[in-house]
Amino acid sequence: MADELGEAWLTIVGIGEDGPAGLSAASRDALARAEWVTGAARHLALLADVLADLAADVVPWPVPFADGIAPLLARRGRRVVVLVSGDPFWFGAGSVVTRTLAAGEWVAHPVPSTFALAAARLGWAIETTACLGLHAAPLARLRTVVAPGVRAIVLLRDGAAVAALARYLAELGFGESDLWVLEALGGPRERVRRVTAAGFALGDIAHPVAVGVLVRGAGAVVPTAAGRPDAWFAHDGQITKRPVRALTLSALAPRPFETLWDIGAGSGSIAIEWLLAHPTTQAVAFETNPVRADRMRGNADALGVDRLGVVVARAPEGLAGHSFPDAVFIGGGVSAAMLGWLWANLPASTRLVANAVTLESEALLALWQGLKGGDLLRIALSEVAPIGTRRGWRAHYPIVQWSVTL
């Protein structure tokens, strides 16, 4: 939606620690024509001299951040400038501010992000460097990134968070990692210091702060392929074991922005690996046992996954009322009632994978495969085990897997 002059009413201006010196001509023009300017107190202070000469009303953006959206939208149609840090659409406020706006309502003028400035100081190629914004996110987001030789640039809230990052890396067995503490990049207060995670002892860290991490050490590394070792998941025996989990994830075929329902989730290993497949995936795990539900939340937290919804309920009764999934996995308790509910209620394009271990559930899947089609796969696994002084193959219970599109 554009104003009566046919122009965007909102301009999002990125600013850096260099304040007015970093403003582009377009940003200066937007400020000069503005009727209302808002931004965090730190941003307003960086441009204090420029703002003092404006005729516009200058109002600090409130805390919490969400409280500023309504006052902003109330000025729709006026010439409004919102000041934000660096690149508004890279771990910035831009996507939140524009979430309810049409494309024609706003323009943005970014300046180099903290990631770009940090990479320039360190000489790191951004395309091969992990970039994470952890101002309000758990440090465990790093867990699947941390491996010897990995480089990461992490945005953090304050000095206490930097110290917590160093402790976290050391506790994982990566205390040898090099840390570059990057303070107020691009401005007169800029400072860069290098320490190790284990030897971290800085207590005077200024905001804003980022940390460059070069991972070193011999801690455990989370594999990148589906079918992570079972040891990564706390469980009471109710877990889809690694080889079967790999085949199950292959059959579920996670895609960006898709949602999984994991029914009878147990340890949550399938749902968690679905979430590890891509940062935009979502998952809802349904589990009747509250102890297991708590355990799977812990598994998700330990692997840095915070997009797992856990519902303590029995299926199919507890499935109603939730947003439809793109894929469904049934790992335990498959029944005719459950399959019937899924066919009656879910969209026709939904992918379903069900694993069965008992003769009764095998017979049920065979029956439904005959009615609805899809693929049946029998998975028979054996592993080497001692037989006296020698070795032999110890067979596991075979798994029958049905894959079908509703």
Side-chain angles (χ1 to χ4, degrees):
M1 181 187 301
D3 62 25
E4 65 274 9
L5 299 178
E7 300 176 0
W9 62 272
L10 173 64
T11 302
I12 304 171
V13 172
I15 61 173
E17 287 295 302
D18 53 354
L23 292 176
S24 66
S27 294
R28 290 182 176 276
D29 180 63
L31 286 166
R33 296 188 301 118
E35 301 173 63
W36 196 73
V37 177
T38 185
R42 183 175 71 86
H43 299 143
L44 299 181
L46 285 168
L47 295 184
D49 292 342
V50 172
L51 299 177
D53 295 332
L54 301 182
D57 294 327
V58 178
V59 179
W61 191 281
V63 177
F65 188 86
D67 290 352
I69 300 298
L72 174 69
L73 296 179
R75 287 161 176 82
R76 182 184 251 126
R78 297 178 63 185
R79 297 191 185 279
V80 174
V81 170
V82 174
L83 303 176
V84 301
S85 296
D87 186 339
F89 293 94
W90 197 4
F91 292 100
S95 59
V96 179
V97 170
T98 62
R99 186 170 294 158
T100 61
L101 303 182
E105 293 189 78
W106 54 272
V107 294
H109 303 306
V111 296
S113 67
T114 300
F115 295 118
L117 294 173
R121 301 298 184 272
L122 299 173
W124 292 357
I126 293 182
E127 67 270 19
T128 57
T129 300
C131 296
L132 297 95
L134 300 183
H135 294 93
L139 292 174
R141 286 269 186 94
L142 278 165
R143 190 62 191 94
T144 56
V145 173
V146 175
V150 165
R151 290 172 172 169
I153 299 171
V154 184
L155 308 186
L156 294 168
R157 182 178 59 256
D158 52 26
V162 178
L165 170 64
R167 287 195 302 273
Y168 179 71
L169 291 170
E171 289 168 359
L172 293 178
F174 297 100
E176 301 170 36
S177 298
D178 290 311
L179 307 182
W180 287 264
V181 181
L182 308 143
E183 303 162 73
L185 290 178
R189 300 184 299 122
E190 178 176 316
R191 181 168 58 174
V192 179
R193 291 177 286 178
R194 181 176 178 176
V195 296
T196 64
F200 182 86
L202 303 179
D204 58 343
I205 297 172
H207 176 80
V209 61
V211 179
V213 181
L214 174 55
V215 180
R216 302 183 192 276
V221 175
V222 181
T224 58
R228 277 85 175 176
D230 297 346
W232 286 103
F233 305 95
H235 62 89
D236 59 3
Q238 294 298 311
I239 182 173
T240 302
K241 298 297 178 63
R242 181 187 60 81
V244 178
R245 192 179 333 119
L247 291 169
T248 300
L249 266 294
S250 176
L252 286 168
R255 304 167 188 170
F257 297 100
E258 288 193 331
T259 297
L260 172 74
W261 280 3
D262 185 351
I263 301 174
S267 68
S269 62
I270 292 291
I272 291 170
E273 291 225 40
W274 169 279
L275 294 172
L276 292 174
H278 196 272
T280 65
T281 51
Q282 303 287 328
V284 181
F286 297 89
E287 173 56 54
T288 60
N289 186 318
V291 174
R292 290 175 181 163
D294 286 342
R295 189 180 291 120
M296 78 174 72
R297 292 188 186 99
N299 286 336
D301 291 343
L303 286 167
V305 172
D306 55 6
R307 308 185 310 280
L308 177 64
V310 179
V311 179
V312 180
R314 185 175 299 279
E317 298 83 4
L319 304 178
H322 297 276
S323 298
F324 288 152
D326 301 283
V328 176
F329 172 63
I330 305 174
V334 65
S335 67
M338 185 185 301
L339 295 174
W341 190 95
L342 295 175
W343 250 268
N345 291 277
L346 296 188
S349 60
T350 307
R351 305 189 301 280
L352 169 66
V353 176
N355 288 352
V357 66
T358 67
L359 291 175
E360 291 79 7
S361 55
E362 282 188 23
L364 179 65
L365 295 189
L367 173 64
W368 278 72
Q369 191 268 343
L371 296 171
K372 303 294 185 179
D375 297 317
L376 274 181
L377 175 69
R378 189 171 188 268
I379 306 167
L381 299 171
S382 299
E383 62 182 353
V384 170
I387 302 177
T389 60
R390 303 196 175 204
R391 297 174 299 158
W393 292 108
R394 181 175 61 193
H396 293 270
Y397 288 117
I399 303 291
V400 171
Q401 183 179 92
W402 182 34
S403 306
V404 66
T405 300
L406 274 58

